[in-house]
Every structure is written in C-alpha cells, then in structure tokens.
Amino acid sequence: MSLTARPTRRSVTAGLGAAATLGLLAACGRPDAEPGGGTAASAEPIAEGAATGSLTVWAMGAEGEKLPELLKGFQEQNPEVTVEVTPVPWDSAHDKFTSAIAAGTAPDVAQVGSTWMAEFVGLDALEPTPSEIATDDYFAGALDSVTVDETVYGVPWYVETRVVFYRKDLAEKAGITEPPTDWDGLVALAQAYQEQAGATWGISLQPGGTGSWQTVMPLIWSNGGNVVDEAGGAFTFDSPRNEEALAYYQSYFTDGIANPAPADGTTEQDFVSGAVPMFISGPWMMSAVEAVGGEGFADKYGVFTMPVKESGSSFLGGANLGVFQGTENRDAAWKLVQYLSTPEVQVEWFAQSTDLPALQQGWEDESVASNEKFEVFRAQLDTAIAPPVVASWEQVAASFDAQIEEVCKNDLAPAEALAATQSEAQGIGTGA
C-alpha cells in the first residue's frame, strides 16, 4: 500500500503541520547520514560470507504478521544472524517512521510505502542499492518507485495494480459477452447492468476521500495527462487532458451510475448480491469476494484491464524494501534484502500472502501463471505507472483527494478543482 498499496494501508499527512515536520526532519536527519539525499554516499559492495549479528525489521499490516515465517529460510542459510520483525499498523506507520528517522532509531531494514521513498531519501534515511542486487527484472513501474534522482534506493518487494472486477454472469444477462476496452464501453456496461440486470448502481467508485486519487490518476494517464512534469520538479494538475479525465470520472456520479454516498465496507456484499456488479481494485479483493460469495462464485465474476482513452495504464502500488542509513549491521541488512529479491522467495511469499511478485521471473511459476485472473493483473503491470516520486506527494495527494470529493459530491467543475489542487500543490512544493 503506501503506496502502498491498498487505500486502507496508508496514513496521509496533510497541511502546514506536516510541512513543518518535513522541514524539521530534514534538518535533523540521522546521525551517520551523508547530506544530499544519500547520493553523496556511494553504494558500497556487500561483504562476502554469511550474515551474522542481529537485524531489526519493520513491516506493516499482514506482511508484518507473516514475514517471520518467510524469514525462517534466511535464518537457516545464515544461522548466526537473528532477525526481529516488528509489525507496524499501516495507519500509524508513516508517522512512526518519520519520528524514528529524526531520532536516529530507524530499523535496519523495513517495508517502505511506495509513495514514501522520495520523502525518506530527502531525509537522508535510505541507502543506495549496491550493484550486487540486480534490478533489471523488476517491472518498470515498480523500479520507478525506488528511483530518486536517477539513483536506486532499496528494491521493490511486491507489486499490486488495479483492474476492473465485474460480474460475468450479469453482464451476459445484460447482453454483453466481452469486457469493454475503452471509456465509452465501460460506461455502456455499467448502464447495461442497471437497465438490463437489475443493478442498483452500475459500478462502485470512490467519491473522493483518502486514496481516491489512486482511481482518478489512471484515467489521467490514459488520457495522456500527468500531474508532474517529466523532470518531477513542477506540478501540472491544471491541464486540459486532466480536466477531461476528471470530468469523465465525475459523469459516473452526475449521471446516476455510481453512488455518491456509498456505505463503508459493503463492496464485497454488493458485488455478490449484484446490487453493484462492478468495481476497480487490487488482487486482494479476489479472496475477499470469493469468501463472501462462497463455493462456485469464482466462476461468476472476472477481471479485465483498465479501459483506455489513448493508452493503457493503471495505478502501480505495492511496497518496497529499504536499508536505513546508520544501520550497525549493513552487510547483513543487504543480504536480507538480497534474499527477499530472488524469484523463488518471491513465489514463496506469494503462496503465503498472495502479494504479487515484483520480479517478472516470479510470474513464470505455475502457482502464479495458472490463474487466468492473475494473468490479467500481469498484463496490467506491463503498463502500470507508479505515483509521482516527489517528497511531498503524501500532502499533495491529500489535497487532490479533497478536491475529487468536491467534484463527485458537490458537482464542482473539474477545471476549478484542478486549479485549486495546482495552487495548493505549488504552495506545498515538491520537497526537492
């Protein structure tokens, strides 16, 4: 989740208080850190031999609970190392990290939300990745999420991307046998669900609020827009292409296709009942809807890649692994990251957690490749895009979420919303 990953897996920091905290942390840094976002300290080689000593690892949510089981293999290979895993709740993780960085008490290794990378690099908190850890097999969007100013910090650990979940049986009842591939087709399917299959709403979309930008951004990218320039040094929210994409998203609410005030926590039930037979989400929702739907429900629904306007794209989330500056057991820390960066271990992790491998080789394993729904996620990952790698993105995203809510619930003109977001983003700055 940061991006993480999943909308409920992140803590969004907003407002002047967060900006002040960012400035304070940048001033404090970590005791042994080099200035300049880590680029002044070259990536030293990893010492040969087995890992020894002790390591502290922080991981969030379900990953923090399941990681100790995965690390048994690492400890068998390195019997003289001790690894202590601390599970951290996602909703408090960002603040816990920034406080630890300021105090010089960050862990040796940690799961890092994908939208936090540039911020932590700017705080001199993360080490550059040694050359012994190959990065050429990662999905391009995942590698982008760990690349700051052309330097790679850490590695992608697992990935997720968003696709469209839909009730195949109800689509057939509505006379549609193939999933849509473009924006107009998505609208047509949603309306057909309402008109021909008895659905209350044609699709479930988030009408603003925390994380809603994760659904709107793929539409912007698909329409040839973006919210930062190529150099990542300036925001570009208020563009005609972005306005067109946000207007398209708004139309689902103004045209009565999506509920502007959905109840929390009912997506799975509404999907199974057919009241709302389509939504956009990540791979974790497969087990969620199948648990509610029961035996045989897996055959009633399918997934398809995000419909496009100009090009195919979706949000790329997941989480990364980072080694923190000042660790007293650097070599063992990187050996642990190296262990978790092998295809076979990523496949093992998939079996334990259903987190999708960030390494493309991991997808060649039958346990992943044999599921046709996962193959749709695999296809989407080829064009999925990581969020902007700017240090202030958490604050800017919170501002964008608030404006999206005004668009969806209060019929604010998309141009006005984007102008307001642009103004606020410029005031926040990129954190560079």
Side-chain angles (χ1 to χ4, degrees):
M1 117 178 239
S2 239
L3 228 273
T4 69
R6 309 168 194 186
T8 57
R9 289 176 155 196
R10 43 187 299 122
S11 171
V12 176
T13 307
L16 296 176
T21 300
L22 184 65
L24 175 63
L25 291 169
C28 294
R30 195 169 179 185
D32 300 324
E34 292 282 351
T39 56
S42 60
E44 297 179 4
I46 305 172
E48 296 183 0
T52 61
S54 61
L55 289 172
T56 57
V57 180
W58 289 3
M60 281 76 85
E63 284 74 21
E65 297 169 2
K66 296 177 180 178
L67 185 56
E69 180 66 25
L70 181 70
L71 294 185
K72 288 180 178 179
F74 177 72
Q75 292 178 293
E76 288 174 2
Q77 293 181 13
N78 303 271
E80 295 185 22
V81 72
T82 301
V83 184
E84 179 183 354
V85 177
T86 300
V88 180
W90 270 104
D91 58 3
S92 61
H94 182 271
D95 291 345
K96 183 176 177 67
F97 272 109
T98 53
S99 297
I101 291 167
T105 58
D108 299 303
V109 181
Q111 175 185 3
V112 181
S114 59
T115 58
W116 304 344
M117 295 299 293
E119 178 185 357
F120 289 4
V121 169
L123 299 177
D124 299 305
L126 296 175
E127 282 206 352
T129 304
S131 60
E132 292 94 328
I133 298 179
T135 58
D136 55 350
D137 190 48
Y138 289 105
F139 288 102
L143 189 59
D144 285 344
S145 74
V146 296
T147 304
V148 183
D149 295 332
E150 301 183 356
T151 299
V152 177
Y153 296 86
V155 296
W157 184 19
Y158 64 84
V159 293
E160 59 95 343
T161 188
R162 312 298 162 82
V163 300
V164 185
F165 287 66
Y166 78 116
R167 287 288 298 271
K168 293 192 299 184
D169 54 342
L170 298 181
E172 292 176 1
K173 182 177 180 180
I176 297 177
T177 57
E178 295 293 330
T181 58
D182 58 24
W183 285 9
D184 290 342
L186 185 63
V187 171
L189 175 56
Q191 291 176 326
Y193 276 137
Q194 291 177 290
E195 297 168 2
Q196 307 296 330
T200 305
W201 303 98
I203 187 171
S204 175
L205 295 172
Q206 189 175 348
T210 302
S212 55
W213 66 270
Q214 297 176 17
T215 306
V216 174
M217 281 299 298
L219 300 176
I220 287 175
W221 291 324
S222 177
N223 200 39
N226 211 331
V227 297
V228 293
D229 62 10
E230 289 188 10
F235 293 105
T236 59
F237 280 94
D238 55 346
S239 74
R241 289 182 181 272
N242 294 355
E243 180 184 349
E244 184 179 15
L246 187 53
Y248 172 75
Y249 192 75
Q250 182 185 48
S251 70
Y252 282 93
F253 300 95
T254 56
D255 293 348
I257 301 172
N259 187 355
D264 291 335
T266 62
T267 300
E268 297 94 323
Q269 293 86 346
D270 290 343
F271 188 66
V272 170
S273 71
V276 190
M278 190 160 55
F279 63 91
I280 298 170
S281 192
W284 60 88
M285 286 300 289
M286 290 173 55
S287 60
V289 298
E290 289 170 19
V292 174
E295 184 177 356
F297 186 73
D299 297 328
K300 295 182 178 180
Y301 82 97
V303 295
F304 58 89
T305 56
M306 290 286 290
V308 304
K309 182 69 182 296
E310 288 192 2
S311 60
S313 61
S314 185
F315 171 86
L316 188 144
N320 304 319
L321 292 169
V323 171
F324 282 77
Q325 294 273 12
T327 171
E328 295 181 359
N329 198 356
R330 176 186 180 276
D331 292 323
W334 280 114
K335 290 178 190 294
L336 174 58
V337 171
Q338 196 170 31
Y339 174 82
L340 295 172
S341 303
T342 58
E344 58 271 22
V345 172
Q346 292 211 340
V347 170
E348 182 183 352
W349 182 236
F350 166 78
Q352 292 182 17
S353 67
T354 69
D355 288 338
L356 302 179
L359 288 166
Q360 297 183 66
Q361 280 183 270
W363 290 79
E364 297 173 6
D365 189 273
E366 185 178 358
S367 65
V368 186
S370 61
N371 189 312
E372 63 179 16
K373 292 185 176 73
F374 282 130
E375 280 298 291
V376 174
F377 285 97
R378 172 65 179 82
Q380 188 71 82
L381 283 166
D382 283 334
T383 59
I385 299 174
V389 185
V390 296
S392 62
W393 182 249
E394 291 285 337
Q395 298 164 255
V396 172
S399 174
F400 194 22
D401 283 339
Q403 292 299 324
I404 292 171
E405 184 162 343
E406 291 297 313
V407 166
C408 298
K409 292 187 175 182
N410 298 320
D411 205 24
L412 178 67
E416 293 183 31
L418 291 168
T421 305
Q422 177 71 13
S423 177
E424 292 176 16
Q426 287 177 327
I428 295 169
T430 61

